[in-house]
Amino acid sequence: MLPGSIQISGETLSGAEIRDICESLRENSVRLLSLRGCQLSERDFGHVCRGAAESRSLAQLNLNLGIVSNINRVKQLAEALKTNRSVQSLFLHGSPLTDAGLALLNPALSIHPSLVALDLGDCMLGDEGINLICGLLPPDGAKSGLKELTLSANPGVTRKGWGRLAIAVAHSSQLRVLNLDYNPLGDQVAGMLAVAVASSRTLEVLDLEGTGLTNQSAQTLLDMVENYPTALRTLILAENNISPELQQQISDLLSEGEEEEETEAREVTAREKNPWICQNNSSSQMVLMTSGLGDSLLAETEM
């Protein structure tokens, strides 16, 4: 039987329901477990963590909206992640972790062999928490790290903390998606992030919705997109004090870059799949001919 999913939202879970969930985890029949906003006892939370620890199929664990509500639960989750080897995506959005809670969880996160996506939005983090998160974005060639990171709505982080994150993003060899929406970043932090994006070779999506930006930030980001080759494909600037004209200019430039890259990729694929090479005996010149047809690129599916 192929691993399936268990998705429950906003329910009060009984002991019997928890037993069924844990049995499915131990039988490796669950790939996605989402208990978003559910109510469960301390004992039952411990059972779920032990089930997750034993599971070899669980790839996505969603405990958003207050499930991890105290330090004891943070400790139990950390112990589960130290044993688990399969979880790729962990969602804790809306959990009152604070920097202290993240400090307890961080050792398990930093050694997990499969984790690539982490949501710590609205987790009451500050600068100390950001410093820990930067350790999950190792520099080029160091070790595996996060590909997707969400830090939405953590207003306790200061400019110093965001600056530290910008440096880590600039040097990360793997981060592709960064969500910073609904943080009071302002133009100064946006400038730091523009430098980070210009330096990054992997960042494709940056969400800055509702972050207190103005046309000053937009102009800096426009200059970055226009003058520096980046991997960036999507830049979200909604709910900021930025003119529609500037937003459209940035969007158009990003679209142009994506179209050019797709065209180049199709041409390369065509040359690799259908090469006819003719050698001119009178000279060393090589003439490469292709059919001009290439397979379309496969779109990567995100969980």
Side-chain angles (χ1 to χ4, degrees), residues 42-92:
E42 294 296 316
R43 181 180 179 180
D44 285 343
F45 182 85
H47 289 324
V48 170
C49 285
R50 286 189 287 276
E54 297 175 20
S55 176
R56 298 188 303 275
S57 64
L58 185 62
Q60 181 170 318
L61 180 59
N62 185 333
L63 299 175
N64 283 350
L65 301 183
I67 302 295
V68 186
S69 56
N70 55 55
I71 289 296
N72 184 54
R73 292 192 177 193
V74 172
K75 292 177 180 178
Q76 292 184 83
L77 178 59
E79 288 301 315
L81 291 173
K82 287 178 182 177
T83 303
N84 175 276
R85 292 291 179 269
S86 62
V87 169
Q88 300 171 24
S89 303
L90 177 64
F91 300 95
L92 300 176

Side-chain angles (χ1 to χ4, degrees), residues 271 274-280 284-290:
R271 288 196 296 270
N274 303 290
W276 289 279
I277 302 176
C278 302
Q279 176 72 54
N280 186 332
S284 61
Q285 183 180 16
M286 300 289 288
V287 179
L288 178 64
M289 301 176 63
T290 78

Side-chain angles (χ1 to χ4, degrees), residues 56-279:
R56 298 188 303 275
S57 64
L58 185 62
Q60 181 170 318
L61 180 59
N62 185 333
L63 299 175
N64 283 350
L65 301 183
I67 302 295
V68 186
S69 56
N70 55 55
I71 289 296
N72 184 54
R73 292 192 177 193
V74 172
K75 292 177 180 178
Q76 292 184 83
L77 178 59
E79 288 301 315
L81 291 173
K82 287 178 182 177
T83 303
N84 175 276
R85 292 291 179 269
S86 62
V87 169
Q88 300 171 24
S89 303
L90 177 64
F91 300 95
L92 300 176
H93 201 112
S95 302
L97 289 181
T98 72
D99 291 349
L102 183 57
L104 293 173
L105 193 60
N106 185 66
L109 299 177
S110 62
I111 64 171
H112 198 284
S114 302
L115 188 68
V116 293
L118 180 63
D119 185 343
L120 295 177
D122 194 18
C123 283
M124 303 173 65
L125 301 179
D127 289 355
E128 292 182 11
I130 294 297
N131 286 338
L132 294 173
I133 291 166
C134 289
L136 305 176
L137 304 174
D140 294 350
K143 60 178 182 178
S144 61
L146 296 177
K147 293 182 179 180
E148 300 183 19
L149 175 61
T150 295
L151 294 171
S152 315
N154 280 293
V157 180
T158 70
R159 289 179 183 175
K160 181 179 179 181
W162 294 126
R164 175 73 178 84
L165 180 70
I167 294 171
V169 170
H171 293 283
S172 170
S173 59
Q174 294 157 79
L175 189 66
R176 291 169 44 191
V177 178
L178 178 61
N179 298 312
L180 300 178
D181 47 311
Y182 299 105
N183 285 297
L185 303 182
D187 291 332
Q188 183 175 354
V189 172
M192 299 177 192
L193 291 170
V195 173
V197 173
S199 301
S200 172
R201 295 193 297 272
T202 60
L203 192 67
E204 299 176 1
V205 178
L206 177 60
D207 187 351
L208 298 177
E209 180 175 358
T211 51
L213 309 187
T214 70
N215 284 343
Q216 177 183 333
S217 298
Q219 189 61 58
T220 300
L221 292 165
L222 176 63
D223 292 342
M224 178 269 295
V225 172
E226 192 169 22
N227 296 307
Y228 294 90
T230 75
L232 195 66
R233 296 293 170 264
T234 302
L235 178 59
I236 301 172
L237 296 173
E239 296 192 31
N240 285 296
N241 190 23
I242 296 174
S243 69
E245 292 77 16
L246 275 174
Q247 292 195 49
Q248 189 62 51
Q249 284 181 271
I250 294 171
S251 178
D252 290 345
L253 283 171
L254 291 175
S255 298
E256 288 175 10
E258 187 171 7
E259 290 171 1
E260 290 173 2
E261 193 165 280
E262 288 177 353
T263 299
E264 291 175 2
R266 284 194 294 269
E267 291 174 352
V268 169
T269 301
R271 288 196 296 270
E272 289 176 347
K273 293 179 72 67
N274 303 290
W276 289 279
I277 302 176
C278 302
Q279 176 72 54

